[in-house]
């Protein structure tokens, strides 16, 4: 435990010293809010679905089999009852204190904004935004939840698609450009709750040229050996100590 407390102290010192910090996070940031990482297979897929999640959440599958896509999506990707945890809240307060410049997230749950963060770059989009593919009309999360089958637009009857980046789809170029700028200009980059396995998002880390790289993740990541500070623990647990 002594080691953990020392690491927390080191992280506090880094946050105290610098005021251009950028946070890059993934699924582990939201697991403590009760949103499972869909990569951790829970057996339910095998009972309920004929395809692995990566297949169902692909552009090709969405086009070919939208009903099955939406069955999985409503069951497995939407957690409207989830609330921000200690990590989300602390990041929002660091931004308010003028320490944190941006949150760059691979998550699609909107919890950073719910916690009060203002500068949030969503690399993979958000379940809170859904658009008609025909007329572009916006639909909220409740509209998707309360629809059945493939949701259709109330305005024109076109099919509604979540503003979520599916497998095989490209990331939004403007979001990437902003993320690269924030990471490149940061003095401190904190990587949290991500195994850095998903590309191209994980590749953005390469643009960091600042002074301190901090990695907070339960499992090992490819960047552990480069980290100035490595804390192998759940991120909510770590940030609740700050």
């Amino acid at each position: 435990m002594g080691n953990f407390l020392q690491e927390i102290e080191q992280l506090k010192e880094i946050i105290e010293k610098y005021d251009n910090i950028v946070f890059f996070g993934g699924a582990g940031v939201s697991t403590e809010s009760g949103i499972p990482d869909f990569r951790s297979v829970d057996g339910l897929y095998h009972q309920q679905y004929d395809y692995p999640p990566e297949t169902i959440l692909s552009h090709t599958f969405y086009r070919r089999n939208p009903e099955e896509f939406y069955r999985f999506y409503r069951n497995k990707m939407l957690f409207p009852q989830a609330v921000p945890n200690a990590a989300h809240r602390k990041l929002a307060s660091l931004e308010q204190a003028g320490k944190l410049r941006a949150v760059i997230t691979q998550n699609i749950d909107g919890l950073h904004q719910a916690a009060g963060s203002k500068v949030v770059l969503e690399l993979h989009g958000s379940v809170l935004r859904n658009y008609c593919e025909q007329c572009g009309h916006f639909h909220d999360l409740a509209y998707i939840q309360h629809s059945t089958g493939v949701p259709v637009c109330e305005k024109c009857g076109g099919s509604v698609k979540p503003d979520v980046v599916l497998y095989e789809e490209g990331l939004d170029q403007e979001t990437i450009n902003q993320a690269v700028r924030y990471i490149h200009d940061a003095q401190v980059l904190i990587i949290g709750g991500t195994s850095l396995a998903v590309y191209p998002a994980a590749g953005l880390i390469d643009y960091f040229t600042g002074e301190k790289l901090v990695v907070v993740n339960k499992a090992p990541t490819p960047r552990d050996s480069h980290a100035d500070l490595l804390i192998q623990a759940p991120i909510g647990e770590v940030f609740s100590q700050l």
Side-chain angles (χ1 to χ4, degrees):
M1 191 65 191
N3 197 21
F4 179 65
L5 293 176
Q6 281 171 332
E7 290 165 351
I8 297 292
E9 282 312 309
Q10 283 178 270
L11 182 52
K12 280 182 183 169
E13 283 165 25
I14 290 172
I15 291 170
E16 190 61 38
K17 181 176 177 185
Y18 295 98
D19 59 7
N20 181 348
I21 302 170
V22 169
F23 179 81
F24 182 94
V29 178
S30 291
T31 47
E32 288 166 89
S33 291
I35 298 182
D37 177 357
F38 73 85
R39 270 183 200 75
S40 51
V41 174
D42 60 6
L44 279 177
Y45 304 127
H46 303 307
Q47 297 158 31
Q48 295 181 18
Y49 305 100
D50 298 333
Y51 306 91
E54 278 85 353
T55 302
I56 298 175
L57 294 172
S58 70
H59 180 84
T60 305
F61 193 92
Y62 171 78
R63 288 281 170 244
R64 287 189 186 150
N65 202 337
E67 293 85 358
E68 182 68 357
F69 169 88
Y70 265 111
R71 185 165 83 91
F72 178 87
Y73 184 78
R74 286 191 189 94
N75 277 346
K76 288 287 177 189
M77 305 303 287
L78 304 181
F79 296 89
Q81 75 290 357
V83 293
N85 62 49
H88 298 106
R89 293 193 300 270
K90 186 65 190 179
L91 288 164
S93 74
L94 287 173
E95 183 188 52
Q96 279 149 12
K99 290 281 178 187
L100 186 82
R101 297 289 171 91
V103 166
I104 300 166
T105 181
Q106 300 170 76
N107 297 341
I108 56 176
D109 51 45
L111 289 180
H112 285 293
Q113 290 94 328
S117 287
K118 300 282 182 268
V119 182
V120 182
L121 303 181
E122 295 174 311
L123 296 174
H124 295 151
S126 171
V127 298
L128 306 184
R129 299 187 298 268
N130 307 274
Y131 296 99
C132 172
E133 296 199 82
Q134 212 157 294
C135 75
H137 183 65
F138 168 85
H139 299 78
D140 63 10
L141 178 60
Y143 191 83
I144 303 297
Q145 285 178 276
H146 300 135
S147 60
T148 52
V150 180
V152 293
C153 178
E154 59 207 338
K155 283 205 156 177
C156 76
S159 55
V160 175
K161 183 175 187 286
D163 187 11
V164 168
V165 179
L166 302 177
Y167 287 95
E168 307 164 346
E169 292 180 344
L171 305 193
D172 176 68
Q173 200 51 55
E174 180 50 34
T175 307
I176 291 214
N177 293 346
Q178 283 182 295
V180 166
R181 275 200 300 277
Y182 276 114
I183 290 172
H184 177 266
D185 295 345
Q187 295 169 303
V188 177
L189 179 62
I190 302 175
I191 298 171
T194 172
S195 57
L196 295 175
V198 178
Y199 281 82
L204 295 173
I205 303 304
D206 294 335
Y207 290 96
F208 179 62
T209 57
E211 298 183 35
K212 297 284 182 191
L213 177 65
V214 178
V215 176
V216 183
N217 198 49
K218 281 198 297 191
T221 83
R223 298 297 163 128
D224 291 357
S225 58
H226 303 281
D228 297 289
L229 175 60
L230 172 64
I231 307 180
Q232 290 191 309
I235 187 158
E237 200 179 299
V238 172
F239 275 64
S240 66
Q241 308 285 320
L242 296 177

